[in-house]
């Protein structure tokens, strides 16, 4: 029976599909799972978004706090992303301090924020050398079925677009910040980076948006991040087999098409959220 074949010989099972240009879940090789997005669902956060990519689901909450700018960058605030892969989302993760994959994912998101200039740190400065915003971007996986990075970037971008910061003025007499929670303004989001992740099988077969099974069986992985100007913001390839120039170009082309789809999706959901208010 099929399930026995899948359990006993998972790679052979997957290859039998890939050779026919399809996948066990019925998708074509270059097809994403259904992507759904919910924005502003965490009322206690300054901005939030929930993303589902097939069975993988990720939530991002953004909390803004006042802080002193660093001595090196007196005119800048900062963004602190953290990706959490708790045991709740998959049996592959253990309780305790963040594992290797969670740390690598947090670092990847931090690199994307910096390289894409999604937010300019100068925009987070309130009073040069004295006061700035820190945006804590907590991204938590609720259900893990592969391709966590793409889901994290969509959740982060949508949550940033949903973030409203209260008005802050510095009292001239006391030199203390005064926060007006009633008057909020949106955060200037300068770029719209979107990630597209691939897995490579037998050094030649490329698939997009891998499930957890596909990730574990593949010979290498690749994530390409592009923005609306088709600029390549980040290319993340943790080891594995090498990739030809043609294959890489195919990946970049797929990524630019995906970027347009996701940006449209975010705008559509944001508009419906604003209409509801």
């Amino acid at each position: 029976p099929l399930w026995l074949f899948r359990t006993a010989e998972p790679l052979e099972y997957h290859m039998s599909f890939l050779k026919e240009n399809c996948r066990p879940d019925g998708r074509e090789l270059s097809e994403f799972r259904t992507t759904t997005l919910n924005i502003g669902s965490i009322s206690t956060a300054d901005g939030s978004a929930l993303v589902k990519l097939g069975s993988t689901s990720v939530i991002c909450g953004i909390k803004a706090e006042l802080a002193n700018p660093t001595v090196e960058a007196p005119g800048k605030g900062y963004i602190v992303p953290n990706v959490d892969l708790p045991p709740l989302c998959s049996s592959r993760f253990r309780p305790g301090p963040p594992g290797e994959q969670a740390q690598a994912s947090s670092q990847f998101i931090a690199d994307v924020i910096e390289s894409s200039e999604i937010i300019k740190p100068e925009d987070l400065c309130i009073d040069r050398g004295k006061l700035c915003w820190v945006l804590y971007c907590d991204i938590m996986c609720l259900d893990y079925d592969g391709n966590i990075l793409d889901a994290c970037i969509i959740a982060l971008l949508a949550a940033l677009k949903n973030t409203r910061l209260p008005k802050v003025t510095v009292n001239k007499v006391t030199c203390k910040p005064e926060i007006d929670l009633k008057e909020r303004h949106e955060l200037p989001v300068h770029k719209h980076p979107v990630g597209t992740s691939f897995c490579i099988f037998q050094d030649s077969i490329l698939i997009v948006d891998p499930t957890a099974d596909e990730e574990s069986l593949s010979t290498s992985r690749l994530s390409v991040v592009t923005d609306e100007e088709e600029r390549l913001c980040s290319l993340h390839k943790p080891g594995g087999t090498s990739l030809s120039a043609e294959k890489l170009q195919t990946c970049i082309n797929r990524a630019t098409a995906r970027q347009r789809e996701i940006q449209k999706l975010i705008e559509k959901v944001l508009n419906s959220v604003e209409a509801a208010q």
Side-chain angles (χ1 to χ4, degrees):
L2 205 56
W3 63 267
L4 194 64
F5 177 36
R6 195 175 79 196
T7 320
E9 297 286 346
L11 184 58
E12 293 303 310
Y13 172 79
H14 271 77
M15 288 311 296
S16 66
F17 284 92
L18 295 177
K19 287 187 176 114
E20 301 296 325
N21 282 332
C22 69
R23 290 151 78 170
D25 59 10
R27 284 187 286 161
E28 289 177 19
L29 302 191
S30 65
E31 191 182 335
F32 270 85
R33 290 172 288 180
T34 307
T35 309
T36 57
L37 175 61
N38 190 316
I39 293 181
S41 34
I42 310 177
S43 56
T44 50
D46 294 305
S48 62
L50 170 69
V51 172
K52 288 188 103 159
L53 196 52
S55 309
T56 292
S57 64
V58 163
I59 194 158
C60 175
I62 293 178
K63 204 78 189 125
E65 287 186 9
L66 293 173
N68 303 104
T70 59
V71 180
E72 301 81 50
K76 293 179 177 181
Y78 33 110
I79 304 180
V80 183
N82 181 49
V83 177
D84 188 15
L85 301 173
L88 137 111
C89 73
S90 163
S91 57
R92 70 184 62 214
F93 304 117
R94 295 272 157 270
E100 200 179 323
Q101 191 178 352
Q103 288 177 18
S105 304
S106 296
Q107 187 54 55
F108 171 76
I109 297 295
D111 292 345
V112 168
I113 291 170
E114 196 173 329
S115 63
S116 67
E117 298 179 330
I118 179 171
I119 300 282
K120 295 207 164 99
E122 298 79 23
D123 292 339
L124 299 174
C125 177
I126 299 162
D127 191 353
R128 190 181 163 82
K130 293 182 186 153
L131 198 62
C132 70
W133 286 113
V134 183
L135 299 182
Y136 291 100
C137 308
D138 288 315
I139 305 171
M140 183 190 269
C141 182
L142 305 175
D143 198 346
Y144 183 92
D145 187 20
N147 197 6
I148 182 91
L149 298 180
D150 288 10
C152 286
I153 296 178
I154 300 171
L156 174 74
L157 176 56
L160 286 169
K161 299 272 292 179
N162 173 243
T163 300
R164 301 287 178 272
L165 298 179
K167 186 182 173 185
V168 176
T169 45
V170 179
N171 187 310
K172 293 278 186 290
V173 184
T174 61
C175 295
K176 288 210 166 93
E178 292 174 353
I179 305 171
D180 182 358
L181 292 170
K182 288 189 182 68
E183 196 177 325
R184 287 177 174 261
H185 61 89
E186 52 190 63
L187 199 59
V189 175
H190 295 280
K191 289 283 189 288
H192 296 73
V194 173
T196 300
S197 293
F198 303 85
C199 271
I200 298 121
F201 279 82
Q202 292 192 340
D203 307 349
S204 61
I205 303 171
L206 256 186
I207 62 164
V208 75
D209 181 25
T211 61
D213 282 347
E214 288 169 338
E215 279 180 355
S216 61
L217 296 167
S218 64
T219 41
S220 78
R221 292 189 229 172
L222 170 75
S223 294
V224 179
V225 183
T226 58
D227 67 14
E228 63 267 45
E229 290 163 18
E230 299 191 5
R231 202 171 58 109
L232 188 61
C233 308
S234 183
L235 198 61
H236 177 65
K237 187 175 177 297
T241 47
S242 62
L243 207 60
S244 70
E246 299 98 317
K247 283 267 193 288
L248 188 58
Q249 194 53 57
T250 306
C251 294
I252 293 171
N253 295 347
R254 182 68 186 94
T256 51
R258 174 72 171 168
Q259 192 283 331
R260 288 192 286 273
E261 290 165 25
I262 292 300
Q263 193 171 348
K264 276 192 194 130
L265 174 67
I266 292 177
E267 297 301 336
K268 192 179 103 184
V269 177
L270 277 170
N271 289 338
S272 67
V273 168
E274 279 160 21
Q277 289 166 351

